[in-house]
Amino acid sequence: ASLLVWKITLVLVWARLLFVLVVVAFRVGVCVLFPFSMGSHCSVASVPIDRCLCQLFRSSSGHRSSCESEEGERHSELDGHKEATSSMRSRNPSSNPDHKTPHELHNETPLWHHRPSAKQTVELYSEHVNQAKHVKGPGQGLIFGVVFPCFANILGVILFLRLPWIMGKAGVWQGACVVLFACCVTGITATSLAAVATNGKIQGGGAYFIISRSMGPAIGSAVGVCFFLANSIGTAMYLIGFVEAWEIASPGTQILSIGTLNNVRATGFVTLAFAVLSVGLGIKIVARVSLVFLFVMFFAIFCMYMGNFVGPEAAGTTPGSYELEQATEGGSIETLLLTWTGASSQYFNENWGPAYGAQQRAFPLDKDEYSFVKLLAMWFPAVTGFEAGSNRSADLSEPGRDIPRGTFFVQIMTSLIYLSFAVLFASAAPRGTLLDDKFFAATSAWPARQCVIYGVMASSIGAGLTSLVSGTRLLAAIAADGNLPILNRFAARPGKEPKASLVCCSILCACAIAIGELNSVAPILTMFFLMCYTCVNLSCAILGVVNDPNWRPTFHFYHWLVSLVGACLCIWLMFAISWITALVAIAFCSVVLVYAYHSSSAIRYGDGWQGLKFRLVRYFLMKMDLRMHTKNWRPQLLVVTSVTVEKKTALHLDVEQPQLLKLAGQMQSRGGMTMVGGICCSKGHDLFTSDGILGGESARDIVWPADEQMATLLQQNGIRGFGKVIFTENSASGLVNFLQMAGLGPLQPNCILMSWPTQWQDAGPEGQHGRVAFARALQSAASFQKVLLTQKGESWPGPSEHITDTIDVWWIVGDGGVLLLLPFILRMNSVWHSCSARLFVLAAEFDDPQRLTDELNQYIKDFRLDVEVHVKVRDVGRRELSEESIKLTFVDGSGTHNRTAYAPGTSSKQAGPDAWTRSISQESIQMLRANSFNSGSMGVNMFHRQVSVQEFAHKDQLTSTQPASRHEMEDAKNLNEIIVSESSHAGLVLLNLPDLPEGESAFGYCQIVERLTKGIHRSILVGGCASEVITAFT
């Protein structure tokens, strides 16, 4: 009895002394290592040492101890200060708006419309912070909130049960490399985590919250799920270690046969039940129990140091020899005679090299062949757990300050402990003892091996409880964010314990315990931790490379290149351990990432991916050619539509041409950029007056919501692009300005898509407005070398419909090939995929139809166009046509251009529209084919159409209602009859848009187009530019 009392007294004395030494070393070490964040005085711990000791050894009686009295007095002072402050505010006469104190008059800023001053802004923020602290409570400090949890998670079962065995296999130098490599990986990851954690305030969720707010909800959810799985499996590893220690401590009180997997499973399940019950009672109980277990583990480590330095006492005939009862593979018990002497240079030299093929009897059921990488996979969980402090970020008073300090201190201390024990174990005993005695750490302890055995059991329980709490809180934080809807049921109510998360974490832990073998569980745990650490390092590397203005971490001892090296080391280690398991882990994270990305598309955290995308887009935009090659041409649509904005209870955006958005969504199957410009016209009123759209205080409530609703409309119509509402006083000028400003660098729109003005016949302002806007669009397209696509028709198919009729192309003038390319683009969409394309070309009476058909077929074949060719002969004898009226420009043999020329004394109007109806003839096809093999670039075209920009000599030509001439209407009618005879039942008709006739009014031009398309159900009028968009070259 006296010996037992003496041992208990010794344990308590050593525990108290060790605690004081750890706290003092921590305060001094952090002040020395991290002076960058200490300021003028080094106050590391949130509470003094005496108060920490008082909290640790406080009296269990009902009377309040001195430390509790002191704490109560401090809170009373704070409460009194708050009451005084509130009473001062209640007596403040500023509550009366008519009475202002000189202090308030000083804070006013009359030149800025009495907006809050900088001082008031800072005061408001301080009040918000103080309110949050009051609701949250005082929180835990640096030592109890970060240092102790990290020590409890890092120093665990692997150190006691596997490090001597690893040193027996790997030897001194390779074993030290195993320990050092793992510590370097976690050290780099801790550096990355510290940098990201100090870049702003941290809330609950720990590493998950940090990564999700830094890199977006998708990657944050993937990292959070991996951390949750790692903590759950880590709990199982610690409990299996507890069972192994319990088998050695009390072999006669096992549930089943000692040394069998079923005994490990049964005892592990029982232990898990008690752990779940403890966590369910509350985190405060777990924190206190874990703290007691932590100091028991510190005492066990001290006994291990003393034993290796002091050496064994004389026992038996040979000093240092001892007998060990070990279970065999068959379940029987055999007695081994082993030897150890303490730290010795002889054993250090003998164990210097590796011996991976040496026989071992510590784990008779383990028949695997081990290597450096396999031992590294087994050891790696021993260095994990530094994120335990960040996992408790919601319970810390200053998480941004305490997490990096405490994590780095624990990381350095545990690395030194591991390296020192690696050398001590390899120097204390021969290789056979290290490989046969799986609990050599207890055998070499002083004064008795029971100190380490029960210390291991205590540390395993403490680390298991900590991991269980971390996994439970982490799952609850992920579920509370709502990024993964499948996990929403695991969210906890505010102020309530996450019971559902605890049950889920316990089930996963039980599945891992069912494996029953620590050597098999550790590599699985390693894989999940490596996935998490890879994401943490990549996050810091990306944020460092992007270097957004908001990236201002207070922890400066990091570099993005070091983080990138850490991520590469993690990935290499994953594939080195098991490339199949690594692929499965990556696939699992990818599934979570994709699911979270689609489920959290509306959530915006301002993550680093946006900055990375911006950098990449800017880089590639700067590298792209402003003049795009013909082979790279694709339609970059600028969709122009009229919109109206109404604000009653909520802002409503009404698109006047909704059919236009359907067509735009069906024309981007080849990856072109689409920009939708909704022109909102104030109809002559000033935009910023009370009658204007943006007048008054409601302007800020119109601009951004209107753009957001435009983006919603784009998404509903399947348009991959950008939308913008243009507020203007005149729609025609708004169109011209938008056309010039839209786009960025090479992403300039090359096609204008707009609707035909259906009200052009109205004599009122609406009709005139539509005619003028369309005429300006046609002129702008010709001036800025854009393709003008005009949609005409009342009904257009939606994204769920399927058209089976033909797409008829009426190729009348050479337009650069846009007209021929449109059927191919449209049929890439599911709406038009089942349609067949037909190409119609007009020929004169003196042309050879068969020869023209052959030339057309060869042309279509050279340009790889899947269309059916038809040649229609038109009787042109009724009108006298001039050969000089063909609006095509060819390069003759001398290299000079033969431009369009009208007969002397005649104009284009006098020549008649037959000038453009005869543009594609037999000779033209021959020249097109010849030039298709001589040109491939849009910069040097051998063939281009002469586009004339018509100027209205008088403004009356825009507003005049003078009808078109009889001759032009007659020609439009004749051509319409030919088109309708072949394409009246076509699903879509594509034809060239006539140029503006010289001297014609806008009203007359609309008459010509309307007569040309009469009887056509659905059509697109194409006004091509002067550049080729298709080529026959590879």
Side-chain angles (χ1 to χ4, degrees), residues 596-645:
Y597 178 79
H598 288 284
S599 302
S600 59
S601 58
I603 300 176
R604 297 289 182 268
Y605 291 146
D607 53 88
W609 283 113
Q610 300 301 321
L612 180 61
K613 293 174 185 176
F614 175 81
R615 285 293 187 100
L616 292 176
V617 168
R618 187 184 67 175
Y619 173 80
F620 287 113
L621 278 178
M622 297 297 293
K623 292 297 181 181
M624 289 180 65
D625 296 332
L626 293 179
R627 295 177 66 98
M628 190 173 295
H629 195 277
T630 305
K631 292 186 291 185
N632 302 120
W633 190 92
R634 64 191 65 212
Q636 309 279 6
L637 293 180
L638 177 63
V639 184
V640 181
T641 179
S642 300
V643 298
T644 56
V645 176

Coordinates of all heavy atoms in Angstrom, one line a residue, residues 596-645:
A596 N -20.9 19.0 -55.3 CA -20.9 20.3 -54.6 C -20.9 21.5 -55.6 O -21.5 22.5 -55.3 CB -19.7 20.4 -53.7
Y597 N -20.2 21.4 -56.7 CA -20.2 22.5 -57.7 C -21.6 22.7 -58.2 O -22.0 23.9 -58.4 CB -19.2 22.1 -58.8 CG -19.1 23.2 -59.9 CD1 -18.4 24.3 -59.7 CD2 -19.8 23.0 -61.1 CE1 -18.3 25.3 -60.7 CE2 -19.8 23.9 -62.1 CZ -19.0 25.1 -61.9 OH -19.0 26.0 -62.9
H598 N -22.3 21.7 -58.6 CA -23.7 21.8 -59.1 C -24.7 22.2 -58.0 O -25.7 22.9 -58.3 CB -24.1 20.6 -59.8 CG -23.4 20.3 -61.1 ND1 -23.7 21.0 -62.3 CD2 -22.4 19.4 -61.4 CE1 -22.9 20.6 -63.2 NE2 -22.1 19.6 -62.8
S599 N -24.4 21.8 -56.8 CA -25.4 22.1 -55.7 C -25.2 23.5 -55.1 O -26.1 24.0 -54.5 CB -25.3 21.1 -54.6 OG -25.5 19.8 -55.1
S600 N -24.0 24.1 -55.3 CA -23.7 25.4 -54.7 C -23.4 26.4 -55.8 O -22.6 27.3 -55.5 CB -22.5 25.2 -53.8 OG -21.3 24.8 -54.5
S601 N -24.0 26.3 -56.9 CA -23.7 27.3 -58.0 C -24.1 28.7 -57.7 O -23.5 29.6 -58.2 CB -24.4 26.8 -59.3 OG -25.8 26.7 -59.1
A602 N -25.1 28.8 -56.8 CA -25.6 30.1 -56.4 C -24.8 30.7 -55.2 O -25.1 31.9 -54.9 CB -27.1 30.1 -56.1
I603 N -23.9 30.0 -54.6 CA -23.2 30.4 -53.4 C -21.9 31.1 -53.9 O -21.2 30.5 -54.7 CB -22.9 29.3 -52.5 CG1 -24.2 28.6 -52.0 CG2 -22.1 29.8 -51.3 CD1 -24.0 27.4 -51.1
R604 N -21.6 32.3 -53.4 CA -20.4 33.0 -53.8 C -19.6 33.4 -52.5 O -20.1 34.1 -51.7 CB -20.8 34.3 -54.6 CG -21.5 34.0 -55.9 CD -20.5 33.4 -56.9 NE -21.1 33.2 -58.2 CZ -21.7 32.1 -58.6 NH1 -21.8 31.1 -57.7 NH2 -22.3 31.9 -59.7
Y605 N -18.4 32.8 -52.4 CA -17.5 33.2 -51.3 C -16.4 34.1 -51.8 O -15.5 34.4 -50.9 CB -16.9 31.9 -50.7 CG -17.9 31.0 -50.0 CD1 -17.8 29.7 -50.0 CD2 -19.0 31.6 -49.3 CE1 -18.7 28.9 -49.3 CE2 -19.9 30.8 -48.6 CZ -19.8 29.5 -48.6 OH -20.7 28.7 -48.0
G606 N -16.3 34.5 -53.0 CA -15.2 35.2 -53.5 C -13.9 34.4 -53.4 O -12.9 34.9 -52.8
D607 N -13.9 33.2 -54.0 CA -12.8 32.3 -53.8 C -11.6 32.6 -54.7 O -11.7 33.4 -55.7 CB -13.3 30.9 -54.0 CG -14.0 30.7 -55.3 OD1 -13.3 30.4 -56.3 OD2 -15.2 30.9 -55.4
G608 N -10.5 31.9 -54.5 CA -9.3 32.1 -55.3 C -9.4 31.6 -56.7 O -8.6 32.0 -57.5
W609 N -10.3 30.7 -56.9 CA -10.5 30.1 -58.3 C -10.8 31.3 -59.3 O -10.4 31.2 -60.4 CB -11.5 29.0 -58.4 CG -11.0 27.7 -57.8 CD1 -11.5 27.1 -56.7 CD2 -10.0 26.9 -58.4 NE1 -10.8 25.9 -56.5 CE2 -9.9 25.8 -57.6 CE3 -9.2 27.0 -59.5 CZ2 -9.0 24.7 -57.8 CZ3 -8.3 26.0 -59.8 CH2 -8.2 24.9 -58.9
Q610 N -11.6 32.2 -58.8 CA -12.0 33.3 -59.7 C -10.8 34.2 -60.1 O -10.6 34.6 -61.2 CB -13.1 34.2 -59.0 CG -14.3 33.5 -58.6 CD -15.0 32.9 -59.8 OE1 -15.1 33.5 -60.8 NE2 -15.6 31.7 -59.6
G611 N -9.9 34.4 -59.1 CA -8.7 35.1 -59.4 C -7.8 34.3 -60.4 O -7.2 34.9 -61.3
L612 N -7.7 33.0 -60.2 CA -6.9 32.2 -61.1 C -7.5 32.2 -62.5 O -6.8 32.3 -63.5 CB -6.9 30.7 -60.6 CG -6.1 29.7 -61.4 CD1 -4.6 30.2 -61.5 CD2 -6.2 28.3 -60.8
K613 N -8.8 32.1 -62.6 CA -9.5 32.1 -63.9 C -9.2 33.5 -64.6 O -9.0 33.5 -65.8 CB -11.0 31.9 -63.8 CG -11.4 30.5 -63.3 CD -12.9 30.4 -63.1 CE -13.3 29.1 -62.5 NZ -14.7 29.0 -62.2
F614 N -9.3 34.5 -63.8 CA -9.0 35.9 -64.4 C -7.6 35.9 -64.9 O -7.4 36.4 -66.0 CB -9.2 36.9 -63.3 CG -8.8 38.3 -63.7 CD1 -9.7 39.1 -64.5 CD2 -7.6 38.9 -63.4 CE1 -9.4 40.3 -64.9 CE2 -7.3 40.1 -63.8 CZ -8.2 40.9 -64.6
R615 N -6.6 35.4 -64.2 CA -5.2 35.4 -64.6 C -5.1 34.6 -65.9 O -4.4 35.1 -66.9 CB -4.3 34.8 -63.6 CG -4.0 35.7 -62.4 CD -3.2 36.9 -62.8 NE -2.8 37.8 -61.7 CZ -1.6 37.7 -61.1 NH1 -0.7 36.9 -61.6 NH2 -1.3 38.5 -60.1
L616 N -5.7 33.4 -66.0 CA -5.6 32.6 -67.2 C -6.3 33.3 -68.4 O -5.7 33.3 -69.5 CB -6.2 31.2 -66.9 CG -5.4 30.4 -65.9 CD1 -6.2 29.1 -65.7 CD2 -4.0 30.1 -66.4
V617 N -7.4 33.8 -68.2 CA -8.2 34.5 -69.3 C -7.4 35.6 -69.8 O -7.2 35.8 -71.0 CB -9.6 34.9 -68.8 CG1 -10.2 35.8 -69.8 CG2 -10.4 33.7 -68.6
R618 N -6.8 36.4 -68.9 CA -6.0 37.6 -69.3 C -4.8 37.2 -70.1 O -4.4 37.8 -71.1 CB -5.6 38.4 -68.1 CG -4.9 39.7 -68.5 CD -4.4 40.5 -67.3 NE -3.4 39.8 -66.6 CZ -2.7 40.2 -65.6 NH1 -3.0 41.4 -65.1 NH2 -1.7 39.5 -65.0
Y619 N -4.1 36.1 -69.6 CA -2.9 35.6 -70.3 C -3.3 35.1 -71.7 O -2.6 35.5 -72.7 CB -2.3 34.5 -69.5 CG -1.2 33.8 -70.2 CD1 0.1 34.4 -70.2 CD2 -1.4 32.6 -70.9 CE1 1.2 33.8 -70.9 CE2 -0.3 32.0 -71.5 CZ 1.0 32.6 -71.5 OH 2.0 32.0 -72.2
F620 N -4.3 34.3 -71.9 CA -4.6 33.8 -73.2 C -5.2 34.9 -74.1 O -5.0 34.8 -75.3 CB -5.6 32.6 -73.1 CG -4.9 31.4 -72.5 CD1 -5.3 30.9 -71.3 CD2 -3.9 30.7 -73.3 CE1 -4.6 29.7 -70.8 CE2 -3.3 29.6 -72.8 CZ -3.7 29.1 -71.5
L621 N -5.9 35.8 -73.5 CA -6.4 36.9 -74.4 C -5.3 37.7 -75.0 O -5.3 38.1 -76.1 CB -7.4 37.8 -73.6 CG -8.8 37.3 -73.4 CD1 -9.6 38.3 -72.5 CD2 -9.5 37.2 -74.7
M622 N -4.3 37.9 -74.1 CA -3.1 38.7 -74.6 C -2.4 37.9 -75.7 O -1.7 38.6 -76.5 CB -2.2 39.1 -73.4 CG -2.9 40.0 -72.4 SD -3.4 41.6 -73.0 CE -1.8 42.3 -73.4
K623 N -2.4 36.6 -75.6 CA -1.7 35.8 -76.6 C -2.4 35.6 -77.9 O -1.9 35.1 -78.9 CB -1.3 34.5 -76.0 CG -0.3 34.6 -74.8 CD 1.0 35.1 -75.3 CE 2.0 35.2 -74.2 NZ 3.3 35.7 -74.6
M624 N -3.7 35.8 -77.9 CA -4.5 35.5 -79.1 C -4.4 36.6 -80.2 O -4.1 37.8 -79.8 CB -6.0 35.4 -78.7 CG -6.4 34.2 -77.9 SD -8.1 34.1 -77.6 CE -8.9 34.0 -79.2
D625 N -4.5 36.2 -81.4 CA -4.4 37.2 -82.5 C -5.7 37.9 -82.6 O -6.8 37.4 -82.5 CB -4.2 36.4 -83.8 CG -2.8 35.7 -83.8 OD1 -1.9 36.2 -83.1 OD2 -2.7 34.7 -84.5
L626 N -5.6 39.2 -82.9 CA -6.7 40.1 -83.0 C -7.5 39.8 -84.3 O -8.7 39.8 -84.4 CB -6.4 41.6 -83.0 CG -5.8 42.1 -81.6 CD1 -5.5 43.6 -81.8 CD2 -6.9 41.9 -80.5
R627 N -6.7 39.4 -85.4 CA -7.3 39.0 -86.6 C -7.4 37.5 -86.7 O -6.3 36.8 -86.8 CB -6.6 39.6 -87.8 CG -6.6 41.1 -87.9 CD -5.7 41.6 -89.0 NE -6.3 41.2 -90.3 CZ -7.0 41.9 -91.1 NH1 -7.3 43.2 -90.7 NH2 -7.5 41.5 -92.2
M628 N -8.5 36.9 -86.5 CA -8.7 35.5 -86.4 C -8.6 34.8 -87.8 O -9.1 35.4 -88.8 CB -10.1 35.1 -85.8 CG -10.2 33.7 -85.4 SD -11.7 33.4 -84.5 CE -11.4 34.3 -83.0
H629 N -7.9 33.7 -87.9 CA -7.7 33.0 -89.1 C -9.1 32.4 -89.5 O -10.0 32.1 -88.7 CB -6.7 31.9 -88.9 CG -6.2 31.3 -90.2 ND1 -6.9 30.3 -90.8 CD2 -5.1 31.5 -90.9 CE1 -6.2 29.9 -91.9 NE2 -5.1 30.7 -92.0
T630 N -9.2 32.1 -90.8 CA -10.5 31.6 -91.3 C -10.8 30.3 -90.7 O -12.0 30.0 -90.4 CB -10.3 31.5 -92.9 OG1 -10.0 32.7 -93.4 CG2 -11.7 31.0 -93.5
K631 N -9.8 29.4 -90.5 CA -10.1 28.1 -89.9 C -10.5 28.2 -88.5 O -11.2 27.2 -88.0 CB -8.8 27.2 -90.1 CG -8.4 26.9 -91.5 CD -7.3 25.9 -91.5 CE -6.0 26.5 -91.1 NZ -4.8 25.6 -91.2
N632 N -10.3 29.3 -87.8 CA -10.7 29.4 -86.4 C -11.9 30.2 -86.3 O -12.3 30.5 -85.2 CB -9.6 30.1 -85.6 CG -8.3 29.3 -85.7 OD1 -7.2 29.8 -86.1 ND2 -8.3 28.0 -85.3
W633 N -12.6 30.6 -87.4 CA -13.8 31.5 -87.3 C -14.9 30.7 -86.7 O -15.2 29.5 -87.0 CB -14.1 32.0 -88.7 CG -15.2 33.1 -88.7 CD1 -15.0 34.4 -88.6 CD2 -16.6 32.9 -88.7 NE1 -16.1 35.1 -88.6 CE2 -17.2 34.2 -88.6 CE3 -17.5 31.8 -88.7 CZ2 -18.5 34.4 -88.6 CZ3 -18.8 32.0 -88.6 CH2 -19.4 33.3 -88.6
R634 N -15.6 31.3 -85.8 CA -16.9 30.8 -85.3 C -17.8 32.0 -85.0 O -17.3 33.1 -84.7 CB -16.6 30.0 -84.0 CG -16.0 30.8 -82.9 CD -15.5 29.9 -81.8 NE -14.4 29.0 -82.2 CZ -14.2 27.8 -81.8 NH1 -15.0 27.3 -80.9 NH2 -13.2 27.1 -82.2
P635 N -19.0 31.8 -85.0 CA -19.9 32.9 -84.7 C -19.9 33.5 -83.3 O -20.2 32.7 -82.3 CB -21.3 32.4 -85.0 CG -21.2 30.9 -84.9 CD -19.8 30.5 -85.2
Q636 N -19.4 34.7 -83.2 CA -19.4 35.4 -81.9 C -20.6 36.3 -81.9 O -20.6 37.4 -82.5 CB -18.1 36.2 -81.7 CG -16.9 35.4 -81.9 CD -16.5 34.6 -80.7 OE1 -17.2 34.5 -79.7 NE2 -15.3 33.9 -80.7
L637 N -21.7 35.9 -81.3 CA -23.0 36.5 -81.4 C -23.1 37.7 -80.5 O -22.8 37.7 -79.3 CB -24.1 35.6 -81.2 CG -24.3 34.4 -82.1 CD1 -25.5 33.5 -81.7 CD2 -24.6 34.9 -83.6
L638 N -23.6 38.8 -81.1 CA -24.1 39.9 -80.3 C -25.6 40.0 -80.5 O -26.1 40.5 -81.6 CB -23.4 41.2 -80.8 CG -23.9 42.5 -80.1 CD1 -23.5 42.4 -78.6 CD2 -23.2 43.7 -80.7
V639 N -26.3 39.5 -79.6 CA -27.8 39.5 -79.7 C -28.4 40.8 -79.2 O -28.1 41.2 -78.0 CB -28.4 38.3 -78.9 CG1 -29.9 38.2 -79.0 CG2 -27.7 37.0 -79.3
V640 N -29.1 41.5 -80.0 CA -29.7 42.8 -79.7 C -31.2 42.7 -79.6 O -31.8 42.2 -80.6 CB -29.3 43.9 -80.8 CG1 -29.9 45.2 -80.4 CG2 -27.8 44.0 -80.9
T641 N -31.7 43.0 -78.5 CA -33.2 42.9 -78.2 C -33.6 44.1 -77.4 O -32.8 44.7 -76.7 CB -33.5 41.6 -77.6 OG1 -34.9 41.5 -77.3 CG2 -32.8 41.4 -76.2
S642 N -34.9 44.4 -77.5 CA -35.4 45.5 -76.7 C -36.0 44.9 -75.4 O -36.6 43.9 -75.4 CB -36.5 46.2 -77.5 OG -36.0 46.8 -78.7
V643 N -35.8 45.6 -74.3 CA -36.3 45.2 -73.0 C -37.0 46.4 -72.4 O -36.7 47.6 -72.7 CB -35.2 44.7 -72.1 CG1 -34.5 43.4 -72.7 CG2 -34.1 45.7 -71.8
T644 N -37.9 46.1 -71.5 CA -38.5 47.1 -70.6 C -38.3 46.7 -69.2 O -38.3 45.5 -68.9 CB -40.0 47.2 -70.9 OG1 -40.6 45.9 -70.8 CG2 -40.2 47.8 -72.4
V645 N -38.1 47.7 -68.3 CA -37.9 47.5 -66.9 C -39.0 48.1 -66.1 O -39.4 49.2 -66.3 CB -36.5 48.1 -66.5 CG1 -36.4 47.9 -65.0 CG2 -35.4 47.4 -67.2

